[in-house]
Amino acid sequence: MAEAISKFDQDLPRREANHVALSPISFLQRSAAIYPESTAVIHGRHYSYREFAERCRRLASALRKRGLGQGDTVAVMAPNVPALLEAHYGVPMFGGVLNALNIRLDPATIAFILQHGEAKALIVDREFSPVIQAALADLDRKPLVIDYDDAMTEAQGGTRGPLIGELEYEALLAEGDPDFAWQPPADEWQALALNYTSGTTGDPKGVVYHHRGAFLNAVGNAMVLGIDRRAAYLWTLPMFHCNGWTYTWAVTAMSGTHVCLRKVDPALIYPLIEEAGVTHLCGAPIVLNLLAHSPADVRRPLPRRVRVGTGGAAPPSAVISRLEQQGFEVLHLYGLTECYGPSTLCAWQDDWSNLPLEERAVKMARQGVAYPTLQEASVRDPETLEAVPADGETVGELMLRGNTLMKGYLKNPEATRKAFAGGWFRTGDLGVVHPDGYVEIKDRSKDIIISGGENISSLEVEEVLYRHPKVMEAAVVARPDPKWGESPCAFVTLQQGEEATAEEILAWCRDHLARFKLPKTVVFGALPKTSTGKIQKFVLREQAKEQK
Amino acid sequence: MAEAISKFDQDLPRREANHVALSPISFLQRSAAIYPESTAVIHGRHYSYREFAERCRRLASALRKRGLGQGDTVAVMAPNVPALLEAHYGVPMFGGVLNALNIRLDPATIAFILQHGEAKALIVDREFSPVIQAALADLDRKPLVIDYDDAMTEAQGGTRGPLIGELEYEALLAEGDPDFAWQPPADEWQALALNYTSGTTGDPKGVVYHHRGAFLNAVGNAMVLGIDRRAAYLWTLPMFHCNGWTYTWAVTAMSGTHVCLRKVDPALIYPLIEEAGVTHLCGAPIVLNLLAHSPADVRRPLPRRVRVGTGGAAPPSAVISRLEQQGFEVLHLYGLTECYGPSTLCAWQDDWSNLPLEERAVKMARQGVAYPTLQEASVRDPETLEAVPADGETVGELMLRGNTLMKGYLKNPEATRKAFAGGWFRTGDLGVVHPDGYVEIKDRSKDIIISGGENISSLEVEEVLYRHPKVMEAAVVARPDPKWGESPCAFVTLQQGEEATAEEILAWCRDHLARFKLPKTVVFGALPKTSTGKIQKFVLREQAKEQK
């Protein structure tokens, strides 16, 4: 017998009037309608919300006129300039999918991405025309190439390469209709953006974002970082990185101001904080490091409190301390490309205010708790899927579930299946849950060091190294060890002008670490990094093998 | 030929891990996990988030044990007490639908609602046991009746009637499991709440809310009124009114504090603002009026700025002015039961700060612009559905579209069809769009006065009357007029201790209104109100006919 329909479902279907696809594009429409004269974007000059929205509609219209349509990919190779921000609206406004390219990639990888993502158009900031030219040489089918010639290039430390496109970006906009009537997507599950992960091995994977997830993560970001209409958000985080962790949409949702920036340089950042009224910025620890260690002659006193969201790795206590002294307020976020950037935050607890810095930094370094817009962040046994006890000790894999997770990997059903196996998104990060419910990541599954049967968290050893007054950056990896199986090998970059011996560093470690966790070797020098600024541990593991 | 599946949809369906039903219930789970010891509810004593969540889970579990299940209605007849707030979580936690009853209703109407909504259980605050007893006498099938015996009854101006239920609320909770494992609904379109409109004629209509809409409107409310973790929200707005405009869920979303209150009485409100750290409250204009005209001996200076959201009618300038002098900050919201309470806000524009009070009040009295979580608020020709020009003059019907609109009316497909005809929710309110894009409602379609072929907005005449220093409340309705067809008839309540003649009031109107808009008659006395505090114009229209 068929189940009777509940009275609450009888004649009460979704309708055109009461069910609309969630889309972050709607934020721009609203802000432009309510605050047309407010500043939406600052980049040399000010762009009002009216102008910003018009430029986005022109972009959508012009690309549509040039034959692009529903589900077509538009790639952008640019630093944090207005054209890239506009593409976050203009591309989905005609049903397209934005593929923001990592500007640090090599031509071969770019060629792979353009081919795999089937980009129909490609907007290129002139600074990157040489690398794009090289990438395009490898492609069978060339996209429509559009040059972006940024007047702020030199002022923000860039250079201009040759013009390589069919036309210039402003000329393209001139072809478009400023009143282009865009519609929300027919389905909020529709693709919005395509972001390739900078995998350490193998081909990059194309992470597909949907409108629903971007809308919700943007709202979550506004709630978590306290973005409001008075906010001015400085773009120190690459917009190509998870669409700027969805702040490209979150700032617009609250009718705040985007402050563009081509290059993360303290000599540019401090004046902008002052002149553009910056209230918020985000960045990987490398950005925080740059601010913490900025030369005295470029640093300026902050005219107001500036909130800093950081993620990618826990902020070391030394960095937190230096930034707080300058007037920054640091919030630790955690996420991956697959979850639209941040999905958890280390939510502040009132009683932390009374803790000494070191203890506070230990609390703040944890990945914390789920965003209000994520359903669940949970540490579980990767085999049984059982949640680990909140004892701060039992290690499991951090898993996520909710509406702010990718549709999956483009043209890669096997990787998608694996990522979502068992009804959870597997982050590949190993962590514990503390008695207060806060998650702390101990390591990537592949970065854990197993020495004499004991697990050593490379992060724990690194945190100790970071606290050494002469150390600027540190990374610890496993080295094959005939006796112990593996042993920790430390790579250290000293602060400018500092000198230290390996014995000096090891003595510090002995004071702060259990004996079995001590690095057997300390190597000094610059650390190899991925294009998104992540330390490449697989390179260090190779180097470690060669150390005595 | 079938359309090819886009590469962005190939093998990328919704999955358990990346698609979860949006539900406001998740807010409680999260706040209780992150801030278990923070104060969730104040009512005489403090309830922590841990305790609040446990009580909600117990309620869900106990009702489930007593045989209630998916899609069953639970009615509550109570003022703003913890039991009603708990029912906002405990009822949907087991799949039930909450029907919060208007406590001002008569037994016959309550009997109709209980019958129509098929309530399986009914929680009754003792103050209302007599009226419920009378209502139950008419019912064929009696629900499970649970008494709520509030320790704060007398302290907040209430009285206790007889115990009429099978058991007391706390005894019911004791039957429940504090660890009850609730699940989000299988579908976010599932019914969450049932709210009967207090129609002025005909049977009340049962407005069905879904989880998706409540989640989104709660988020919108938090964004619009600036609710955050430090917020303490005083319950001066009835929770039975659109589920407290969804602030029942919004405050929990931001881990703020609910401050319960049985009765809107300045003698209770001012001490609570001080002692409970109140930062926000909402209410119909009648609540603002009470605060504006509160006796000097109960009024206390506000220890901090308190944001006040008001809706139901525009706040008159005199009331805005009095409240601002006390330290309240008034925000005008607009909505209906059908759209989860507020859907538009009169968003503040910076240049208003420099306007004289009267001009500012005129700006602020407008219904304004769409919530960030509503798709569109639009004034359109009710026949052609064409949008009116933004000229501040052309009148059309305010129509809404988005995700924060009801599923429809329960067991009333005809009314549902009419409400959503043409792909828009028809508010029945007539208004204009100003050149700045702000909507202003001129009148309910049935409240407009047509005199000599000219439309007279009763609201405009009322605004002038409200500004008279001796007037506390005013309402203007159409009276049949042999010469003009209709003419305005004014009903006025004077402030306590004031006296005035009709001529004095009319002279004031002549100074401030066009001649054809002048009331022909002024009647003094108390105004008849609906159970939600709305002035009953249909009663006044009858009385107007009898006036000379």
Side-chain angles (χ1 to χ4, degrees):
Chain A
M1 201 180 93
E3 210 179 322
I5 292 183
S6 156
K7 60 184 172 293
F8 291 112
D9 287 319
Q10 191 77 55
D11 300 314
L12 297 172
R14 293 164 172 84
R15 293 161 198 267
E16 202 185 336
N18 65 13
H19 195 272
V20 178
L22 295 173
S23 168
I25 316 312
S26 63
F27 299 144
L28 177 56
Q29 166 153 314
R30 180 176 181 272
S31 290
I34 302 176
Y35 303 110
E37 304 313 329
S38 291
T39 300
V41 182
I42 296 178
H43 190 57
R45 71 183 190 79
H46 288 219
Y47 299 76
S48 70
Y49 262 104
R50 183 199 306 280
E51 200 177 358
F52 180 35
E54 272 181 17
R55 290 174 60 86
C56 295
R57 287 193 299 262
R58 278 181 182 277
L59 177 60
S61 163
L63 290 171
R64 167 73 53 92
K65 282 183 185 170
R66 287 205 167 237
L68 276 80
Q70 182 69 37
D72 281 342
T73 303
V74 177
V76 181
M77 181 79 167
N80 291 338
V81 292
L84 178 48
L85 189 60
E86 286 157 11
H88 278 80
Y89 298 89
V91 173
M93 272 178 177
F94 77 81
V97 176
L98 174 65
N99 176 210
L101 297 169
N102 185 328
I103 54 175
R104 301 189 194 104
L105 292 177
D106 57 291
T109 309
I110 292 171
F112 170 86
I113 290 172
L114 293 174
Q115 192 116 21
H116 188 265
E118 301 175 31
K120 291 267 173 45
L122 169 58
I123 300 168
V124 188
D125 183 278
R126 284 185 72 171
E127 180 159 358
F128 302 93
S129 56
V131 67
I132 290 295
Q133 218 163 13
L136 290 173
D138 288 349
L139 284 190
D140 308 330
R141 262 201 229 173
K142 309 257 188 278
L144 167 70
V145 176
I146 299 136
D147 289 301
Y148 181 63
D149 192 12
D150 179 13
M152 292 291 288
T153 304
E154 290 78 14
Q156 293 192 343
T159 53
R160 299 192 211 211
L163 293 168
I164 59 168
E166 192 160 326
L167 78 171
E168 210 275 323
Y169 183 75
E170 296 296 332
L172 180 76
L173 294 196
E175 294 177 0
D177 175 2
D179 298 321
F180 178 75
W182 74 278
Q183 290 296 323
D187 187 328
E188 63 199 33
W189 195 248
Q190 191 174 300
L192 166 70
L194 174 63
N195 292 305
Y196 283 83
T197 55
S198 57
T200 44
T201 53
D203 284 332
K205 293 197 288 270
V207 173
V208 181
Y209 286 4
H210 48 86
H211 283 257
R212 174 182 170 95
F215 177 100
L216 290 168
N217 212 53
V219 164
N221 270 322
M223 290 164 90
V224 155
L225 212 60
I227 307 276
D228 64 19
R229 192 166 103 60
R230 311 282 166 205
Y233 181 94
L234 179 62
W235 274 104
T236 43
L237 178 82
M239 289 186 201
F240 65 73
H241 201 177
C242 316
N243 301 107
W245 294 352
T246 74
Y247 280 101
T248 44
W249 298 301
V251 173
T252 306
M254 302 309 290
S255 314
T257 300
H258 297 270
V259 183
C260 287
L261 179 66
R262 293 183 65 94
K263 198 180 168 191
V264 175
D265 177 352
L268 298 170
I269 290 172
Y270 286 99
L272 271 176
I273 289 176
E274 202 171 301
E275 292 149 22
V278 169
T279 54
H280 296 78
L281 61 86
C282 289
I286 189 171
V287 174
L288 275 61
N289 243 331
L290 267 172
L291 294 174
H293 298 290
S294 55
D297 58 327
V298 304
R299 199 181 297 175
R300 297 197 198 172
L302 300 189
R304 73 197 71 76
R305 190 193 67 163
V306 175
R307 297 200 82 181
V308 176
T310 189
S317 58
V319 172
I320 291 175
S321 158
R322 280 165 185 260
L323 288 179
E324 284 182 352
Q325 281 161 25
Q326 288 186 46
F328 293 101
E329 185 183 301
V330 178
L331 179 65
H332 182 206
L333 309 172
Y334 162 85
L336 302 164
T337 302
E338 286 84 347
C339 57
Y340 297 74
S343 266
T344 75
L345 73 152
C346 191
W348 186 259
Q349 297 282 347
D350 292 337
D351 53 3
W352 295 357
S353 310
N354 306 322
L355 294 177
L357 171 68
E358 286 302 323
E359 285 177 47
R360 198 153 51 79
V362 169
K363 300 270 189 200
M364 290 170 68
R366 301 177 305 166
Q367 281 65 27
V369 296
Y371 261 45
T373 39
L374 180 77
Q375 191 68 23
E376 208 177 341
S378 179
V379 178
R380 290 171 183 263
D381 182 298
E383 300 300 323
T384 66
L385 290 179
E386 212 172 313
V388 304
D391 58 9
E393 290 186 2
T394 313
V395 173
E397 183 178 356
L398 178 55
M399 304 191 186
L400 308 176
R401 206 162 61 84
N403 294 298
T404 56
L405 289 154
M406 63 172 179
K407 288 179 82 156
Y409 299 112
L410 184 67
K411 303 180 196 167
N412 199 339
E414 181 53 21
T416 304
R417 197 195 54 72
K418 266 192 201 164
F420 288 130
W424 291 89
F425 172 71
R426 313 293 190 109
T427 65
D429 284 323
L430 299 180
V432 299
V433 181
H434 287 276
D436 62 357
Y438 280 51
V439 169
E440 183 184 4
I441 288 177
K442 289 297 187 179
D443 230 329
R444 294 289 301 170
S445 23
K446 60 182 178 300
D447 291 342
I448 207 101
I449 302 160
I450 305 172
S451 190
E454 298 274 4
N455 285 356
I456 303 174
S457 160
S458 62
L459 295 183
E460 182 187 354
V461 184
E462 287 161 12
E463 163 72 17
V464 168
L465 292 168
Y466 265 106
R467 292 213 309 268
H468 189 285
K470 293 185 182 172
V471 169
M472 183 152 110
E473 282 186 326
V476 175
V477 299
R479 189 171 65 121
D481 187 295
K483 184 168 174 194
W484 303 106
E486 293 179 347
S487 64
C489 177
F491 292 82
V492 166
T493 312
L494 296 175
Q495 294 188 33
Q496 224 170 357
E498 293 288 358
E499 285 182 32
T501 62
E503 182 42 44
E504 187 180 344
I505 301 295
L506 286 171
W508 173 266
C509 289
R510 271 193 291 272
D511 287 349
H512 296 90
L513 280 172
R515 204 186 149 86
F516 76 97
K517 297 179 181 170
L518 293 179
K520 295 279 177 293
T521 317
V522 178
V523 185
F524 294 100
L527 302 179
K529 299 212 175 107
T530 69
S531 51
T532 54
K534 277 190 191 165
I535 295 167
Q536 291 179 297
K537 288 208 168 172
F538 72 101
V539 175
L540 293 177
R541 269 190 286 273
E542 288 308 308
Q543 293 179 13
K545 287 180 193 163
E546 294 151 22
Q547 301 295 325
K548 302 271 160 57
Chain B
M1 199 181 91
E3 209 179 322
I5 292 182
S6 156
K7 60 183 171 296
F8 291 113
D9 287 319
Q10 191 77 54
D11 299 315
L12 297 171
R14 293 164 172 83
R15 292 162 199 267
E16 202 186 334
N18 66 12
H19 195 272
V20 178
L22 295 173
S23 168
I25 315 311
S26 63
F27 299 143
L28 177 57
Q29 168 152 312
R30 180 177 182 272
S31 291
I34 302 175
Y35 304 109
E37 305 312 329
S38 291
T39 301
V41 183
I42 297 178
H43 190 59
R45 70 182 190 82
H46 289 220
Y47 298 76
S48 70
Y49 262 104
R50 183 200 305 281
E51 198 177 359
F52 180 35
E54 273 181 16
R55 290 173 61 86
C56 295
R57 288 196 297 264
R58 278 181 182 278
L59 176 59
S61 162
L63 290 171
R64 167 72 56 90
K65 283 185 185 169
R66 287 206 167 236
L68 276 80
Q70 182 69 37
D72 281 342
T73 304
V74 177
V76 181
M77 180 80 166
N80 291 338
V81 292
L84 179 48
L85 189 60
E86 287 157 10
H88 278 80
Y89 297 90
V91 173
M93 273 180 178
F94 77 81
V97 176
L98 174 64
N99 176 209
L101 297 169
N102 184 330
I103 54 176
R104 300 190 194 103
L105 293 177
D106 58 291
T109 309
I110 292 171
F112 171 85
I113 290 172
L114 292 175
Q115 191 116 23
H116 188 265
E118 303 177 27
K120 290 267 172 46
L122 169 58
I123 300 168
V124 188
D125 182 279
R126 282 185 72 171
E127 180 158 0
F128 302 95
S129 56
V131 66
I132 290 296
Q133 216 162 15
L136 290 173
D138 287 349
L139 284 190
D140 308 330
R141 262 202 230 175
K142 309 258 188 281
L144 167 71
V145 177
I146 299 136
D147 289 301
Y148 182 62
D149 193 11
D150 180 12
M152 291 291 289
T153 304
E154 291 78 14
Q156 293 193 343
T159 52
R160 300 194 209 209
L163 293 168
I164 59 168
E166 191 160 324
L167 78 172
E168 209 276 323
Y169 183 75
E170 296 297 332
L172 180 76
L173 293 196
E175 294 177 0
D177 176 2
D179 297 320
F180 178 74
W182 74 278
Q183 290 297 322
D187 186 329
E188 62 199 36
W189 195 248
Q190 191 175 300
L192 167 69
L194 173 64
N195 292 303
Y196 283 84
T197 55
S198 56
T200 44
T201 53
D203 284 333
K205 293 200 287 273
V207 172
V208 180
Y209 286 4
H210 48 86
H211 284 256
R212 174 182 170 95
F215 177 100
L216 290 168
N217 211 55
V219 164
N221 270 324
M223 291 164 89
V224 155
L225 212 60
I227 306 277
D228 65 17
R229 192 167 103 61
R230 311 281 166 204
Y233 181 94
L234 179 62
W235 275 104
T236 43
L237 178 82
M239 290 186 200
F240 65 72
H241 200 176
C242 316
N243 300 108
W245 295 352
T246 75
Y247 280 100
T248 43
W249 298 302
V251 173
T252 307
M254 303 308 290
S255 315
T257 300
H258 297 269
V259 183
C260 287
L261 179 65
R262 295 183 64 93
K263 198 180 167 190
V264 175
D265 177 351
L268 298 170
I269 291 172
Y270 285 99
L272 270 176
I273 289 177
E274 203 171 300
E275 292 150 23
V278 169
T279 55
H280 296 78
L281 60 87
C282 290
I286 190 171
V287 174
L288 275 62
N289 242 331
L290 267 173
L291 294 174
H293 298 289
S294 55
D297 58 328
V298 304
R299 200 182 295 176
R300 298 197 196 172
L302 300 189
R304 73 198 70 79
R305 189 193 68 163
V306 175
R307 296 200 82 180
V308 176
T310 188
S317 58
V319 172
I320 292 176
S321 159
R322 280 167 185 259
L323 287 180
E324 284 182 352
Q325 280 161 25
Q326 289 187 45
F328 292 101
E329 186 183 301
V330 178
L331 179 65
H332 181 206
L333 309 171
Y334 162 84
L336 302 164
T337 302
E338 285 82 348
C339 55
Y340 296 74
S343 266
T344 76
L345 73 153
C346 190
W348 187 258
Q349 297 283 345
D350 292 337
D351 55 2
W352 295 358
S353 309
N354 307 321
L355 295 177
L357 172 68
E358 285 302 323
E359 285 177 47
R360 198 155 51 80
V362 168
K363 300 270 190 202
M364 290 171 67
R366 301 176 306 166
Q367 280 66 27
V369 297
Y371 260 44
T373 38
L374 181 77
Q375 191 66 23
E376 209 177 339
S378 180
V379 177
R380 290 171 183 262
D381 183 297
E383 299 300 323
T384 67
L385 289 179
E386 214 171 311
V388 303
D391 58 9
E393 289 185 3
T394 313
V395 173
E397 183 177 357
L398 178 56
M399 303 190 187
L400 308 176
R401 204 163 62 83
N403 294 299
T404 55
L405 289 154
M406 63 171 180
K407 289 179 82 157
Y409 300 112
L410 183 68
K411 301 181 197 166
N412 200 338
E414 179 55 22
T416 304
R417 197 195 54 72
K418 268 193 197 161
F420 288 129
W424 291 90
F425 172 71
R426 315 293 191 107
T427 65
D429 284 323
L430 299 180
V432 299
V433 181
H434 288 275
D436 62 357
Y438 280 52
V439 169
E440 184 186 4
I441 288 177
K442 290 297 189 179
D443 231 329
R444 292 292 299 173
S445 23
K446 60 183 179 300
D447 291 341
I448 206 100
I449 302 160
I450 304 172
S451 191
E454 298 275 3
N455 284 357
I456 302 172
S457 160
S458 62
L459 295 183
E460 183 187 354
V461 185
E462 287 161 12
E463 163 71 16
V464 168
L465 291 169
Y466 265 106
R467 293 212 308 269
H468 189 287
K470 292 184 181 171
V471 169
M472 182 154 112
E473 282 188 327
V476 174
V477 299
R479 189 171 65 123
D481 187 294
K483 183 166 177 198
W484 302 105
E486 292 180 346
S487 64
C489 177
F491 291 82
V492 166
T493 311
L494 296 176
Q495 294 187 35
Q496 223 171 356
E498 293 289 357
E499 284 182 32
T501 63
E503 181 43 44
E504 187 179 343
I505 300 295
L506 286 170
W508 173 266
C509 290
R510 271 192 293 273
D511 286 349
H512 295 90
L513 280 173
R515 204 189 150 83
F516 76 96
K517 296 179 181 172
L518 293 179
K520 295 277 176 297
T521 316
V522 178
V523 185
F524 294 99
L527 302 179
K529 299 215 175 103
T530 69
S531 51
T532 55
K534 278 189 190 166
I535 295 167
Q536 290 179 299
K537 288 206 168 174
F538 71 101
V539 174
L540 293 177
R541 269 191 285 272
E542 289 307 308
Q543 293 179 12
K545 286 181 192 162
E546 294 152 21
Q547 301 294 326
K548 301 270 160 52

